[in-house]
PDB file of all heavy atoms in Angstrom:
ATOM      1  N   LEU A 393     114.217  50.780  71.884  1.00 75.00           N
ATOM      2  CA  LEU A 393     113.517  51.818  72.634  1.00 75.00           C
ATOM      3  C   LEU A 393     112.046  51.459  72.723  1.00 75.00           C
ATOM      4  O   LEU A 393     111.245  51.885  71.901  1.00 75.00           O
ATOM      5  CB  LEU A 393     113.669  53.180  71.967  1.00 75.00           C
ATOM      6  CG  LEU A 393     113.048  54.322  72.779  1.00 75.00           C
ATOM      7  CD1 LEU A 393     113.818  54.566  74.057  1.00 75.00           C
ATOM      8  CD2 LEU A 393     112.994  55.590  71.958  1.00 75.00           C
ATOM      9  N   PRO A 463      99.602  51.524  77.319  1.00 56.00           N
ATOM     10  CA  PRO A 463      98.789  52.579  76.704  1.00 56.00           C
ATOM     11  C   PRO A 463      99.666  53.615  76.037  1.00 56.00           C
ATOM     12  O   PRO A 463     100.821  53.815  76.409  1.00 56.00           O
ATOM     13  CB  PRO A 463      98.015  53.170  77.890  1.00 56.00           C
ATOM     14  CG  PRO A 463      98.825  52.799  79.097  1.00 56.00           C
ATOM     15  CD  PRO A 463      99.458  51.475  78.782  1.00 56.00           C
ATOM     16  N   HIS A 474      99.714  59.513  68.011  1.00 55.00           N
ATOM     17  CA  HIS A 474      99.001  59.306  66.762  1.00 55.00           C
ATOM     18  C   HIS A 474      99.017  57.833  66.392  1.00 55.00           C
ATOM     19  O   HIS A 474      99.981  57.120  66.685  1.00 55.00           O
ATOM     20  CB  HIS A 474      99.644  60.118  65.642  1.00 55.00           C
ATOM     21  CG  HIS A 474      99.385  61.590  65.765  1.00 55.00           C
ATOM     22  ND1 HIS A 474      99.913  62.498  64.886  1.00 55.00           N
ATOM     23  CD2 HIS A 474      98.650  62.305  66.655  1.00 55.00           C
ATOM     24  CE1 HIS A 474      99.528  63.715  65.220  1.00 55.00           C
ATOM     25  NE2 HIS A 474      98.769  63.622  66.295  1.00 55.00           N
ATOM     26  N   ALA A 483     116.922  50.045  66.323  1.00 92.00           N
ATOM     27  CA  ALA A 483     117.910  50.681  65.458  1.00 92.00           C
ATOM     28  C   ALA A 483     119.098  49.746  65.310  1.00 92.00           C
ATOM     29  O   ALA A 483     119.649  49.262  66.303  1.00 92.00           O
ATOM     30  CB  ALA A 483     118.349  52.017  66.038  1.00 92.00           C
ATOM     31  N   LEU A 509     111.844  64.594  48.693  1.00 97.00           N
ATOM     32  CA  LEU A 509     113.062  64.131  49.344  1.00 97.00           C
ATOM     33  C   LEU A 509     113.907  63.383  48.328  1.00 97.00           C
ATOM     34  O   LEU A 509     113.376  62.636  47.483  1.00 97.00           O
ATOM     35  CB  LEU A 509     112.745  63.212  50.522  1.00 97.00           C
ATOM     36  CG  LEU A 509     112.394  63.885  51.857  1.00 97.00           C
ATOM     37  CD1 LEU A 509     111.770  62.888  52.809  1.00 97.00           C
ATOM     38  CD2 LEU A 509     113.635  64.509  52.490  1.00 97.00           C
ATOM     39  N   GLN A 581     105.999  63.601  59.594  1.00 93.00           N
ATOM     40  CA  GLN A 581     107.185  62.787  59.799  1.00 93.00           C
ATOM     41  C   GLN A 581     107.418  61.964  58.537  1.00 93.00           C
ATOM     42  O   GLN A 581     106.473  61.429  57.950  1.00 93.00           O
ATOM     43  CB  GLN A 581     107.023  61.865  61.001  1.00 93.00           C
ATOM     44  CG  GLN A 581     106.968  62.601  62.331  1.00 93.00           C
ATOM     45  CD  GLN A 581     107.068  61.653  63.514  1.00 93.00           C
ATOM     46  OE1 GLN A 581     107.031  60.443  63.358  1.00 93.00           O
ATOM     47  NE2 GLN A 581     107.207  62.214  64.694  1.00 93.00           N
ATOM     48  N   VAL A 606     104.744  71.797  57.524  1.00 95.00           N
ATOM     49  CA  VAL A 606     104.109  72.363  56.335  1.00 95.00           C
ATOM     50  C   VAL A 606     103.188  73.496  56.791  1.00 95.00           C
ATOM     51  O   VAL A 606     102.341  73.303  57.671  1.00 95.00           O
ATOM     52  CB  VAL A 606     103.326  71.289  55.555  1.00 95.00           C
ATOM     53  CG1 VAL A 606     102.605  71.908  54.362  1.00 95.00           C
ATOM     54  CG2 VAL A 606     104.268  70.176  55.088  1.00 95.00           C
ATOM     55  N   GLU A 635      99.996  91.093  50.432  1.00 87.00           N
ATOM     56  CA  GLU A 635      98.599  90.686  50.560  1.00 87.00           C
ATOM     57  C   GLU A 635      98.207  90.635  52.034  1.00 87.00           C
ATOM     58  O   GLU A 635      99.056  90.637  52.928  1.00 87.00           O
ATOM     59  CB  GLU A 635      98.401  89.301  49.936  1.00 87.00           C
ATOM     60  CG  GLU A 635      98.666  89.249  48.450  1.00 87.00           C
ATOM     61  CD  GLU A 635      98.634  87.818  47.934  1.00 87.00           C
ATOM     62  OE1 GLU A 635      98.783  86.892  48.752  1.00 87.00           O
ATOM     63  OE2 GLU A 635      98.468  87.640  46.728  1.00 87.00           O
ATOM     64  N   ALA A 638      96.746  86.049  57.074  1.00 67.00           N
ATOM     65  CA  ALA A 638      95.682  85.205  57.613  1.00 67.00           C
ATOM     66  C   ALA A 638      95.299  85.692  59.006  1.00 67.00           C
ATOM     67  O   ALA A 638      96.061  86.396  59.678  1.00 67.00           O
ATOM     68  CB  ALA A 638      96.148  83.752  57.659  1.00 67.00           C
ATOM     69  N   ILE A 665     118.272  94.503  55.294  1.00 98.00           N
ATOM     70  CA  ILE A 665     117.354  94.958  56.333  1.00 98.00           C
ATOM     71  C   ILE A 665     116.307  93.868  56.564  1.00 98.00           C
ATOM     72  O   ILE A 665     116.093  93.003  55.717  1.00 98.00           O
ATOM     73  CB  ILE A 665     116.667  96.287  55.960  1.00 98.00           C
ATOM     74  CG1 ILE A 665     115.961  96.163  54.597  1.00 98.00           C
ATOM     75  CG2 ILE A 665     117.663  97.425  55.962  1.00 98.00           C
ATOM     76  CD1 ILE A 665     115.196  97.418  54.185  1.00 98.00           C
ATOM     77  N   GLU A 699     116.963  99.530  45.187  1.00 98.00           N
ATOM     78  CA  GLU A 699     116.213  98.327  44.838  1.00 98.00           C
ATOM     79  C   GLU A 699     116.387  97.300  45.954  1.00 98.00           C
ATOM     80  O   GLU A 699     117.480  97.153  46.503  1.00 98.00           O
ATOM     81  CB  GLU A 699     116.728  97.756  43.518  1.00 98.00           C
ATOM     82  CG  GLU A 699     115.926  96.582  42.982  1.00 98.00           C
ATOM     83  CD  GLU A 699     116.441  96.127  41.620  1.00 98.00           C
ATOM     84  OE1 GLU A 699     117.583  95.615  41.565  1.00 98.00           O
ATOM     85  OE2 GLU A 699     115.709  96.282  40.626  1.00 98.00           O
ATOM     86  N   ARG A 704     112.384  88.035  50.914  1.00 97.00           N
ATOM     87  CA  ARG A 704     111.696  86.816  51.348  1.00 97.00           C
ATOM     88  C   ARG A 704     110.889  87.084  52.610  1.00 97.00           C
ATOM     89  O   ARG A 704     111.322  87.812  53.504  1.00 97.00           O
ATOM     90  CB  ARG A 704     112.690  85.677  51.575  1.00 97.00           C
ATOM     91  CG  ARG A 704     113.673  85.882  52.709  1.00 97.00           C
ATOM     92  CD  ARG A 704     114.623  84.681  52.831  1.00 97.00           C
ATOM     93  NE  ARG A 704     115.439  84.717  54.032  1.00 97.00           N
ATOM     94  CZ  ARG A 704     116.746  84.978  54.059  1.00 97.00           C
ATOM     95  NH1 ARG A 704     117.394  85.253  52.930  1.00 97.00           N
ATOM     96  NH2 ARG A 704     117.412  84.972  55.206  1.00 97.00           N
ATOM     97  N   GLN A 723     110.647 103.349  45.493  1.00 97.00           N
ATOM     98  CA  GLN A 723     110.318 104.719  45.083  1.00 97.00           C
ATOM     99  C   GLN A 723     110.569 105.648  46.261  1.00 97.00           C
ATOM    100  O   GLN A 723     109.864 105.594  47.273  1.00 97.00           O
ATOM    101  CB  GLN A 723     108.862 104.788  44.639  1.00 97.00           C
ATOM    102  CG  GLN A 723     108.382 106.182  44.273  1.00 97.00           C
ATOM    103  CD  GLN A 723     106.888 106.202  43.995  1.00 97.00           C
ATOM    104  OE1 GLN A 723     106.346 105.254  43.419  1.00 97.00           O
ATOM    105  NE2 GLN A 723     106.217 107.282  44.405  1.00 97.00           N
ATOM    106  N   TRP A 778     120.993  74.107  86.300  1.00 96.00           N
ATOM    107  CA  TRP A 778     122.214  74.785  86.741  1.00 96.00           C
ATOM    108  C   TRP A 778     122.390  74.728  88.250  1.00 96.00           C
ATOM    109  O   TRP A 778     121.467  75.041  88.996  1.00 96.00           O
ATOM    110  CB  TRP A 778     122.201  76.243  86.284  1.00 96.00           C
ATOM    111  CG  TRP A 778     122.310  76.378  84.801  1.00 96.00           C
ATOM    112  CD1 TRP A 778     121.311  76.691  83.933  1.00 96.00           C
ATOM    113  CD2 TRP A 778     123.477  76.183  84.006  1.00 96.00           C
ATOM    114  NE1 TRP A 778     121.779  76.706  82.643  1.00 96.00           N
ATOM    115  CE2 TRP A 778     123.110  76.393  82.656  1.00 96.00           C
ATOM    116  CE3 TRP A 778     124.802  75.839  84.294  1.00 96.00           C
ATOM    117  CZ2 TRP A 778     124.019  76.283  81.606  1.00 96.00           C
ATOM    118  CZ3 TRP A 778     125.710  75.734  83.251  1.00 96.00           C
ATOM    119  CH2 TRP A 778     125.321  75.953  81.931  1.00 96.00           C
ATOM    120  N   ALA A 826     117.828  79.994  71.979  1.00 98.00           N
ATOM    121  CA  ALA A 826     116.729  80.901  72.312  1.00 98.00           C
ATOM    122  C   ALA A 826     117.252  82.262  72.758  1.00 98.00           C
ATOM    123  O   ALA A 826     116.685  83.305  72.420  1.00 98.00           O
ATOM    124  CB  ALA A 826     115.854  80.276  73.396  1.00 98.00           C
ATOM    125  N   LEU A 838     118.788  92.185  77.772  1.00 97.00           N
ATOM    126  CA  LEU A 838     120.118  91.883  77.244  1.00 97.00           C
ATOM    127  C   LEU A 838     120.785  93.131  76.671  1.00 97.00           C
ATOM    128  O   LEU A 838     122.009  93.286  76.745  1.00 97.00           O
ATOM    129  CB  LEU A 838     120.022  90.820  76.153  1.00 97.00           C
ATOM    130  CG  LEU A 838     119.827  89.366  76.583  1.00 97.00           C
ATOM    131  CD1 LEU A 838     119.488  88.499  75.374  1.00 97.00           C
ATOM    132  CD2 LEU A 838     121.069  88.834  77.289  1.00 97.00           C
ATOM    133  N   TRP A 888     126.583  90.470  64.036  1.00 97.00           N
ATOM    134  CA  TRP A 888     126.774  91.254  65.263  1.00 97.00           C
ATOM    135  C   TRP A 888     126.115  90.604  66.469  1.00 97.00           C
ATOM    136  O   TRP A 888     126.576  90.793  67.599  1.00 97.00           O
ATOM    137  CB  TRP A 888     126.275  92.685  65.092  1.00 97.00           C
ATOM    138  CG  TRP A 888     124.878  92.877  64.565  1.00 97.00           C
ATOM    139  CD1 TRP A 888     124.516  93.213  63.312  1.00 97.00           C
ATOM    140  CD2 TRP A 888     123.645  92.756  65.300  1.00 97.00           C
ATOM    141  NE1 TRP A 888     123.146  93.307  63.194  1.00 97.00           N
ATOM    142  CE2 TRP A 888     122.589  93.044  64.401  1.00 97.00           C
ATOM    143  CE3 TRP A 888     123.343  92.452  66.613  1.00 97.00           C
ATOM    144  CZ2 TRP A 888     121.246  93.018  64.779  1.00 97.00           C
ATOM    145  CZ3 TRP A 888     121.999  92.423  67.003  1.00 97.00           C
ATOM    146  CH2 TRP A 888     120.974  92.696  66.095  1.00 97.00           C
ATOM    147  N   ALA A 889     125.069  89.818  66.249  1.00 98.00           N
ATOM    148  CA  ALA A 889     124.447  89.097  67.364  1.00 98.00           C
ATOM    149  C   ALA A 889     125.270  87.860  67.722  1.00 98.00           C
ATOM    150  O   ALA A 889     125.490  87.555  68.903  1.00 98.00           O
ATOM    151  CB  ALA A 889     123.021  88.701  67.002  1.00 98.00           C
ATOM    152  N   ILE A 912     124.842  54.832  74.798  1.00 84.00           N
ATOM    153  CA  ILE A 912     124.996  53.815  73.765  1.00 84.00           C
ATOM    154  C   ILE A 912     123.817  53.791  72.798  1.00 84.00           C
ATOM    155  O   ILE A 912     123.988  53.538  71.611  1.00 84.00           O
ATOM    156  CB  ILE A 912     125.207  52.422  74.417  1.00 84.00           C
ATOM    157  CG1 ILE A 912     125.645  51.412  73.346  1.00 84.00           C
ATOM    158  CG2 ILE A 912     123.967  51.965  75.166  1.00 84.00           C
ATOM    159  CD1 ILE A 912     126.073  50.086  73.925  1.00 84.00           C
ATOM    160  N   SER A 935     131.222  82.820  63.856  1.00 97.00           N
ATOM    161  CA  SER A 935     131.368  84.189  64.370  1.00 97.00           C
ATOM    162  C   SER A 935     131.116  84.295  65.863  1.00 97.00           C
ATOM    163  O   SER A 935     131.303  85.373  66.450  1.00 97.00           O
ATOM    164  CB  SER A 935     130.476  85.196  63.623  1.00 97.00           C
ATOM    165  OG  SER A 935     130.880  85.278  62.271  1.00 97.00           O
TER     166      SER A 935
END
Side-chain angles (χ1 to χ4, degrees):
L393 185 68
H474 288 178
L509 277 166
Q581 292 191 352
V606 177
E635 297 172 340
I665 55 177
E699 186 176 67
R704 65 180 190 252
Q723 176 186 323
W778 292 105
L838 283 169
W888 51 258
I912 191 171
S935 296

